[in-house]
Amino acid sequence: MDDEGARGVRGTGADRVPGPAVPPPPAVPPETPGAGTPASGQPWGPRGGEPEAPRVPAIPPPAGPPAARPAAPPPPTEQPPAALDVWLRTPRPPAAPGVWRFGFTPRPPEQGEEVSDRSLVVGAVITLLSALLLWSLWRNGYLPYRLVPLKLFTPGEWWNPGTSGGPRTIEGADALTVYEALLFGLLVYGCGRIGNFSELFRRHAVDRGQPFLALAAAAAAGLTQLLVWNEALPVVRPVLVLVAAVAGGEIYQSQTVVNIVYGLIAAAVLWPFARLGRWRELIAARRGTATPPPAGDPAPATETSADRWPELRAAGWTEAADTLTAEVRTGRMNDVDVARLRHAWAEATRSPDRLAPLAEAVLRTGGAAALHPSGRRDLPHRTARHDVLTGQVRIGRCAEDPHNPYARRSTGLALDPALLGTSLLAVGPPGSGKSDRLVRPVVEALGLRALAGQAAVLAVGGAGAPLGPDEAFDVVVRVGDPASAHDLDLYGGTSDPDEAAAVLAEGLVGDVGSLDSRRAATVLAQLLGPYRAAHGHFPSVPELRELLDGAPAALAALRAALEAAGHHAMLRELEARARQAGGPGDPAPVLADRVALLDRPAFAGFFATGPDARPFELRSLGQYPLRVRVDLPERGHAEASRLLTRLLLAQFTAITAARTDTALFAGLVLDDATHAVTAETVRGIRRLRSVNAGAVLTLRTVDDVPEALHTPLLGAVGCTAAFSGITTWDGKRFAEAWGKEWVETREVAQHTVFADQPFTRALHALRKLVTGKAVTTDAVTVRQVEKERWSASELAYAVPAGHAVIRLTTVDGEYAPPLLVELGGR
């Protein structure tokens, strides 16, 4: 890699690049050529064919023997819930946007309103008594025509004459025995269905679990066996009759055969109770035998399971796959290693000449192949649950609330690049959890993806903001801190004066509604172009302030330098600026006042330019998997911090939109976007989803954005979050943005009943005397109405503390309705 990219190591030589905030641990070996690594061995080299792309030299790897196998990475705070091979085999089924897919199992279908236990028991008792009465009437011959169906299908000589005549022969008696058994079976089945005995058994036996379920089934089985062998239930005799009809009556001359038949009858009666009581599972659990895994548990290991690296085996790299399998089984890899190597293999398959170096690196260093330039294999600390394979970070759990669809209640809510690619706006007062429960997890997730070579992240916040420790970033820029190892390039690393002027004007005066930023960009271009042509670099902050103020000495020196170098075109630009200076509506004085905010002793030398200055260029963020954090001096220089936030947002949208290689996901996280959003940046945010980038913006209130941009901003972002404690004014804007839905409403009107008959009036008077209420009838009206998903009042007063209402949209256009989420809920 060359040296034009992330320039900005204060006090270092020209051949030094921004290294990690702290040195990497010495246990990690040097980077070896592999997938995503150029042949020279410099990791993460420039992506081919891009003119004027910033070039970042590789972060120097730690010293160590090149062939030494590294030690296993330290386990993070939030380690996967089981061993790595089990974690790999855990299913991650496709799901709706925002659903935590790791081990996800859909909720069972919604049940209707359950019948009360009292009604269930009463119904079962009434059904049972009715069945006993019906069977008693049958057995005692009180039901007329009870034998007519049987006589229609049997010979007439078996029966006595008349519709109620009984059997005349032994064959008729046997047929009647089987007939009664069939009718008894139908009666038991109908009684069970009508009395809802299955639901009664589920509530009072199954839901209590083992061993109560097994004991209840055993008691029922014992009672049934007693009734069967006492012939209170028609089971034994019908079976004996059927066996004799099939095999002949002589079969019962053998006592052994009789015992076998009796044993089969007892087993057949016992079998359904064994199934209901789950005796087999109980016995297996007592013996310690493994039971089949329920839904959502890891699949068993096979040759094609994820922990066996089937993609490498399919390509013929069996030895490399065996090496990685052994690394997984022995715990020498972590989830980031798996994601990184999978991504490296996918990238290498697009360039077959890179497959062999990757396989050799895997054989030599195992899970440490194709390392991130920093040499890191994990974050020093995790505060949220991450699934690096899918890129998801779990931020909470959908609450059991009527506003949430039934299928989403109690399911985990997660964010991933497919959602962040539409950008996210979070609004909530201080202390509502925006930074700790949303911003920090998102920064961690993007940092993990950066270590896997799949993303780049820029986190911007005030000094002390909970964005993560220094060790979690490759570049840490502390604006205004003399101890900061990195400076910040106000021009974003571009060499085009017009592009630099447009972005700088947006950062300086984009929030001034009365000033056209295009005119401000023209003024800056008339000064930046000539200065760069004369000196080979853009002016520093003090020099730019003098030029905007129209200082005669500064303008004369620049004019003389242009004349000496023969830059006549740039000289005409400078003369045009001199003619326009001081005219009506000239934006130069406003620009000079804004630049003066950065021309303070606290920032002396911080935004320096020239050959000796090495500021960090934001342009490198769009090409390399960097983790960058910018700390702003919000306490002492609040207005300058807002200016820099606005500038970084404008640079990010401009740089990502100009990328030609969008393989890396570029993420910007602004911990406080107060007064940072402008009309141009709103248009830039809208374009991010098409270039594999996204921004996360947090606001204390929507009023921190100019009123004219409220609607465009809410329309530009695909994901919005309203935290607890927002005002009704903010709630109204979210309610309007989320729209309405059709719901079914029930209106009940009570009307007094007036009786005409004396007896009825007497009953109504008695009822009123007892209850104290007049006799009424209910008139129910059901209608479909259009209602707001969340009203402004509900958002302001019905969202509990520690919760937020979040609406999600993917880059493909899928969306989830606004969901009430318990932040951090498991």
Side-chain angles (χ1 to χ4, degrees):
M1 298 183 182
D2 49 25
D3 57 357
E4 248 185 51
R7 304 182 304 176
V9 182
R10 180 177 300 188
T12 59
D15 57 345
R16 178 86 178 272
V17 293
V22 296
V28 182
E31 176 66 40
T32 55
T37 306
S40 62
Q42 295 174 345
W44 307 104
R47 301 177 184 270
E50 296 189 12
E52 297 186 5
R55 298 181 294 175
V56 183
I59 298 175
R69 181 64 61 89
T77 301
E78 280 290 342
Q79 191 74 353
L84 188 62
D85 55 345
V86 177
W87 176 80
L88 275 170
R89 295 195 304 270
T90 301
R92 297 166 174 83
V99 172
W100 175 250
R101 293 170 50 194
F102 182 80
F104 170 70
T105 54
R107 297 190 70 181
E110 185 175 9
Q111 301 292 333
E113 186 174 348
E114 289 189 347
V115 181
S116 64
D117 289 344
R118 179 179 179 180
S119 300
L120 197 63
V121 171
V122 171
V125 171
I126 293 175
T127 304
L128 180 61
L129 294 177
S130 301
L132 291 176
L133 176 62
L134 184 62
W135 182 247
S136 177
L137 294 175
W138 166 270
R139 293 294 300 268
N140 293 308
Y142 290 107
L143 296 180
Y145 311 108
R146 64 189 186 97
L147 299 180
V148 171
L150 180 59
K151 292 181 178 181
L152 292 176
F153 294 96
T154 56
E157 59 270 15
W158 290 4
W159 310 99
N160 293 317
T163 57
S164 59
R168 177 188 299 176
T169 63
I170 296 178
E171 290 82 0
D174 292 342
L176 179 59
T177 299
V178 176
Y179 179 59
E180 288 183 347
L182 292 177
L183 291 180
F184 180 79
L186 293 176
L187 181 63
V188 170
Y189 176 78
C191 176
R193 297 283 295 182
I194 296 174
N196 206 359
F197 281 87
S198 60
E199 178 65 15
L200 187 65
F201 182 77
R202 183 191 65 81
R203 289 193 191 182
H204 298 283
V206 177
D207 290 350
R208 294 191 180 186
Q210 299 288 13
F212 181 85
L213 175 61
L215 293 176
L223 178 61
T224 305
Q225 291 279 9
L226 180 63
L227 296 176
V228 166
W229 296 110
N230 286 336
E231 297 190 3
L233 301 180
V235 175
V236 178
R237 289 182 59 83
V239 172
L240 296 177
V241 169
L242 291 175
V243 172
V246 174
E250 296 81 4
I251 193 173
Y252 294 122
Q253 295 179 0
S254 173
Q255 186 62 35
T256 303
V257 173
V258 174
N259 293 336
I260 292 176
V261 173
Y262 284 168
L264 292 177
I265 294 175
V269 173
L270 193 63
W271 179 77
F273 294 99
R275 291 289 304 273
L276 290 174
R278 301 174 184 174
W279 296 351
R280 184 178 180 181
E281 297 178 10
L282 180 61
I283 295 173
R286 296 294 183 183
R287 293 180 177 178
T289 308
T291 57
D297 279 9
T302 62
E303 289 296 325
T304 58
S305 57
D307 59 318
R308 297 279 296 170
W309 300 87
E311 60 272 18
L312 273 70
R313 298 182 188 277
W317 299 98
T318 306
E319 294 184 2
D322 291 338
T323 300
L324 293 179
T325 302
E327 294 273 299
V328 170
R329 300 287 172 81
T330 57
R332 298 181 62 86
M333 292 179 63
N334 61 8
D335 52 349
V336 179
D337 294 331
V338 174
R340 186 186 69 251
L341 290 174
R342 281 193 169 188
H343 175 72
W345 182 262
E347 291 291 321
T349 53
R350 301 175 186 174
S351 301
D353 57 323
R354 296 161 63 181
L355 289 175
L358 174 61
E360 294 174 2
V362 169
L363 292 175
R364 187 166 57 253
T365 60
L371 275 179
H372 185 267
S374 65
R376 301 288 183 182
R377 299 174 64 179
D378 203 349
L379 296 178
H381 181 68
R382 301 188 192 183
T383 60
R385 293 181 62 186
H386 298 269
D387 185 19
V388 188
L389 283 187
T390 58
Q392 287 190 314
V393 53
R394 178 165 176 154
I395 62 172
R397 179 182 62 87
C398 295
E400 290 281 353
D401 187 86
H403 287 91
N404 292 341
Y406 171 80
R408 298 301 297 268
R409 296 174 191 171
S410 75
T411 61
L413 189 84
L415 299 177
D416 56 48
L419 296 170
L420 297 177
T422 64
S423 297
L424 186 149
L425 175 67
V427 178
S432 58
K434 302 190 303 298
S435 299
D436 294 330
R437 301 182 181 181
L438 178 65
V439 171
R440 177 70 181 273
V442 169
V443 173
E444 287 182 2
L446 294 178
L448 290 172
R449 290 187 69 82
L451 291 177
Q454 304 175 46
V457 56
L458 171 64
V460 182
L467 300 178
D470 294 351
E471 296 83 359
F473 296 91
D474 304 315
V475 177
V476 178
V477 181
R478 297 183 177 88
V479 179
D481 186 354
S484 176
H486 307 283
D487 295 342
L488 188 65
D489 187 359
L490 294 179
Y491 306 100
T494 182
S495 58
D496 185 357
D498 293 325
E499 181 181 350
V503 175
L504 185 58
E506 196 64 33
L508 291 176
V509 295
D511 62 328
V512 181
S514 59
L515 183 62
D516 188 357
S517 59
R518 290 174 295 182
R519 291 194 61 189
T522 302
V523 171
L524 288 172
Q526 290 173 340
L527 296 174
L528 297 181
Y531 192 96
R532 181 175 178 82
H535 300 284
H537 58 83
F538 291 121
S540 62
V541 169
E543 293 168 333
L544 179 60
R545 181 183 181 184
E546 291 181 353
L547 293 174
L548 289 171
D549 280 334
L555 293 174
L558 181 56
R559 187 179 295 106
L562 292 173
E563 291 175 351
H567 295 291
H568 301 291
M570 292 300 174
L571 189 60
R572 288 195 298 272
E573 283 282 289
L574 185 61
E575 294 299 335
R577 170 86 287 269
R579 290 193 301 271
Q580 297 170 3
D586 182 18
V590 181
L591 289 170
D593 291 342
R594 288 301 179 87
V595 172
L597 296 173
L598 303 179
D599 188 19
R600 305 295 301 162
F603 305 134
F606 199 85
F607 305 108
T609 58
D612 297 332
R614 306 291 293 175
F616 169 74
E617 297 177 356
L618 193 62
R619 180 174 295 270
S620 60
L621 191 72
Q623 306 298 332
Y624 305 98
L626 295 176
R627 301 167 297 163
V628 183
R629 193 188 78 205
V630 178
D631 294 342
L632 302 176
E634 288 184 345
R635 295 182 179 178
H637 304 274
E639 195 61 34
S641 297
R642 294 173 181 174
L643 187 153
L644 292 174
T645 303
R646 205 161 45 243
L647 177 62
L648 289 172
L649 177 58
Q651 287 184 355
F652 180 83
T653 55
I655 290 170
T656 52
R659 289 192 303 170
T660 56
D661 185 355
T662 59
L664 283 177
F665 178 82
L668 170 67
V669 180
L670 297 182
D671 186 52
D672 184 5
T674 302
H675 301 297
V677 179
T678 65
E680 184 60 33
T681 54
V682 168
R683 287 189 286 268
I685 290 173
R686 191 177 289 114
R687 294 190 296 265
L688 290 179
R689 68 175 64 188
S690 62
V691 292
N692 195 23
V696 177
L697 314 176
T698 66
L699 297 170
R700 294 181 177 89
T701 173
V702 182
D703 289 332
D704 289 338
V705 176
E707 185 176 359
L709 297 179
H710 290 174
T711 300
L713 177 60
L714 289 172
V717 297
C719 303
T720 48
F723 283 71
S724 61
I726 65 172
T727 63
T728 52
W729 292 273
D730 288 341
K732 180 181 179 181
R733 298 182 182 99
F734 280 108
E736 292 175 351
W738 292 339
K740 300 180 180 181
E741 62 179 345
W742 289 97
V743 297
E744 184 180 277
T745 61
R746 295 169 56 91
E747 297 179 358
V748 180
Q750 292 185 339
H751 303 285
T752 302
V753 178
F754 297 96
D756 296 330
Q757 301 298 326
F759 181 73
T760 307
R761 286 200 298 269
L763 290 178
H764 287 185
L766 178 62
R767 180 175 174 179
K768 184 176 182 181
L769 180 64
V770 173
T771 62
K773 297 180 181 179
V775 179
T776 60
T777 182
D778 293 340
V780 181
T781 303
V782 180
R783 65 179 65 182
Q784 294 283 336
V785 298
E786 198 175 17
K787 181 183 177 183
E788 291 178 331
R789 299 179 185 271
W790 280 84
S791 68
S793 298
E794 289 174 330
L795 289 173
Y797 302 112
V799 179
H803 291 64
V805 181
I806 302 178
R807 181 187 183 274
L808 302 174
T809 306
T810 67
V811 292
D812 296 330
E814 298 183 59
Y815 70 92
L819 302 170
L820 179 63
V821 180
E822 179 187 356
L823 300 172
R826 300 299 182 184

